[in-house]
């Protein structure tokens, strides 16, 4: 057993302080979200008379119900397509040791180097010519195309760290390449899959510029856009504004907390590769 030393105590103290530092903004957010309009105490002081009225006002007057449904639809479909395309594309890139595989992988990684804003105008024109503006498909196609390179990069790093013994055993037993991937490799990709789902879901959920651009002039809007218009309208009532922000971050925060163990395992596996 390792002895409890002074160095261990210092490390624990530093981690506690870091945890408190990270938790402070979340505490301030919730503290102000449940604070009445007449209370003028410091944001760090606990609210004397907490109320849920701010959440009711934010939900009803900001149209957060429709925005929440729209954001969930776009996030879930985009994340599912990103994971499916990237997982199937990464398997041959990681297992086939030929020149075309290395070249294809490098070409895909070039997608990480191109700023999204550089192609904002031609992408907008393409979506307009295709008749997709104002629909969720414009955002879904955009997110899939922009996030696949990063996701492929994570999948390939994780796959290269996995031994090929089980796949070879499945091939010897009569499985084809697809069956070996589906029944042997894909279950082993669960940690990194959880990682890429959460990372992509957070990116899609928090994006403000693209929904504002592609859904402008329509009644549809995502949570960040709805919160921005609501905050500008009710900027003097900070309790309502913070309540709306709390509603916006709650789903993705809960999703992250549920999958955090798999996220850590996914990053650890990728780093080993």
């Amino acid at each position: 057993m390792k002895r409890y030393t002074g160095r261990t105590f210092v490390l624990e103290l530093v981690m506690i302080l870091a945890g408190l530092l990270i938790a402070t903004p979340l505490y301030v957010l919730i503290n102000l979200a449940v604070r009445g309009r007449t209370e003028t105490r410091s944001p760090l002081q606990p609210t004397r008379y907490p109320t849920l009225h701010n959440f009711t006002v934010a939900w009803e007057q900001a149209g957060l119900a429709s925005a929440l449904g729209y954001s969930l639809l776009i996030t879930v479909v985009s994340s599912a397509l990103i994971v499916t395309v990237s997982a199937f594309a990464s398997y041959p890139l990681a297992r086939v040791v030929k020149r075309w595989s290395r070249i294809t992988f490098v070409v895909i990684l070039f997608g990480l180097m191109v700023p999204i804003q550089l192609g904002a105008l031609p992408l907008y024109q393409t979506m307009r010519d295709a008749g997709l503006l104002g629909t969720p498909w414009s955002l879904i196609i955009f997110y899939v195309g922009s996030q696949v390179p990063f996701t492929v990069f994570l999948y390939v790093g994780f796959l290269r760290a996995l031994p090929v013994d089980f796949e070879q055993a499945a091939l010897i037993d009569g499985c084809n390449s697809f069956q070996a991937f589906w029944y042997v490799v894909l279950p082993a990709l669960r940690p990194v899959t959880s990682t890429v789902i959460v990372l992509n879901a957070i990116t899609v959920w928090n994006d403000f510029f693209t929904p504002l651009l592609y859904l402008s002039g329509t009644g549809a809007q995502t949570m960040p856009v709805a919160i921005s218009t609501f905050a500008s309208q009710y900027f003097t009532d900070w309790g309502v504004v913070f309540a709306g922000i709390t509603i916006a971050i709650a789903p993705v925060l809960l999703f992250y907390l549920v999958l955090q163990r798999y996220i850590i395992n996914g990053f650890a596996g990728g780093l080993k590769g």
Side-chain angles (χ1 to χ4, degrees):
M1 294 179 61
K2 294 184 178 180
R3 296 179 57 187
Y4 189 86
T5 62
R7 184 170 179 267
T8 305
F9 172 77
V10 172
L11 290 175
E12 290 181 348
L13 184 62
V14 170
M15 295 303 297
I16 293 173
L17 293 176
L20 292 175
L21 182 64
I22 295 173
T24 299
L26 184 61
Y27 161 75
V28 172
L29 174 66
I30 298 176
N31 188 42
L32 294 179
V34 298
R35 177 171 295 185
R37 192 170 186 176
T38 59
E39 193 167 345
T40 58
R41 307 180 77 194
S42 168
L44 293 177
Q45 291 181 305
T47 300
R48 290 181 178 178
Y49 308 104
T51 176
L52 297 179
H53 177 70
N54 294 330
F55 291 90
T56 303
V57 175
W59 183 264
E60 294 178 351
Q61 298 187 16
L64 294 185
S66 60
L68 179 62
Y70 213 76
S71 289
L72 285 174
L73 171 65
I74 294 172
T75 302
V76 170
V77 176
S78 299
S79 300
L81 289 176
I82 291 169
V83 169
T84 302
V85 172
S86 301
F88 279 97
S90 301
Y91 182 59
L93 293 176
R95 289 293 186 253
V96 178
V97 287
K98 292 185 179 180
R99 185 177 180 182
W100 68 264
S101 177
R102 294 192 296 269
I103 294 176
T104 304
F105 183 57
V106 171
V107 171
I108 292 176
L109 291 185
F110 275 129
L112 295 173
M113 307 176 188
V114 180
I116 297 300
Q117 292 78 7
L118 191 64
L121 181 58
L123 284 173
Y124 180 86
Q125 293 174 338
T126 301
M127 295 295 181
R128 180 197 60 193
D129 296 340
L132 296 176
L133 288 181
T135 68
W137 286 110
S138 60
L139 295 173
I140 292 171
I141 293 173
F142 173 84
Y143 291 133
V144 173
S146 60
Q147 294 300 116
V148 161
F150 172 70
T151 309
V152 168
F153 172 73
L154 292 181
Y155 266 124
V156 170
F158 193 89
L159 277 166
R160 287 175 176 171
L162 290 178
V164 298
D165 299 343
F166 294 106
E167 300 167 49
Q168 293 175 347
L171 294 173
I172 293 173
D173 289 339
C175 292
N176 55 38
S177 298
F178 176 80
Q179 291 172 329
F181 171 76
W182 185 261
Y183 293 109
V184 178
V185 178
L186 194 58
L189 294 178
R190 189 176 303 162
V192 70
T193 298
S194 302
T195 301
V196 299
I197 287 176
V198 172
L199 293 179
N200 287 309
I202 292 175
T203 300
V204 173
W205 185 274
N206 291 334
D207 187 27
F208 173 79
F209 176 74
T210 309
L212 182 66
L213 183 65
Y214 288 172
L215 302 179
S216 179
T218 66
Q221 56 184 356
T222 58
M223 289 296 286
V225 178
I227 291 298
S228 68
T229 56
F230 180 69
S232 63
Q233 183 179 2
Y234 294 92
F235 68 95
T236 55
D237 195 346
W238 290 111
V240 178
V241 173
F242 282 111
I245 296 174
T246 303
I247 295 173
I249 69 173
V252 69
L253 181 61
L254 179 62
F255 185 58
Y256 172 79
L257 292 176
V258 171
L259 297 180
Q260 62 176 335
R261 178 168 63 90
Y262 298 103
I263 297 172
I264 296 173
N265 291 339
F267 274 121
L271 291 174
K272 289 178 183 178

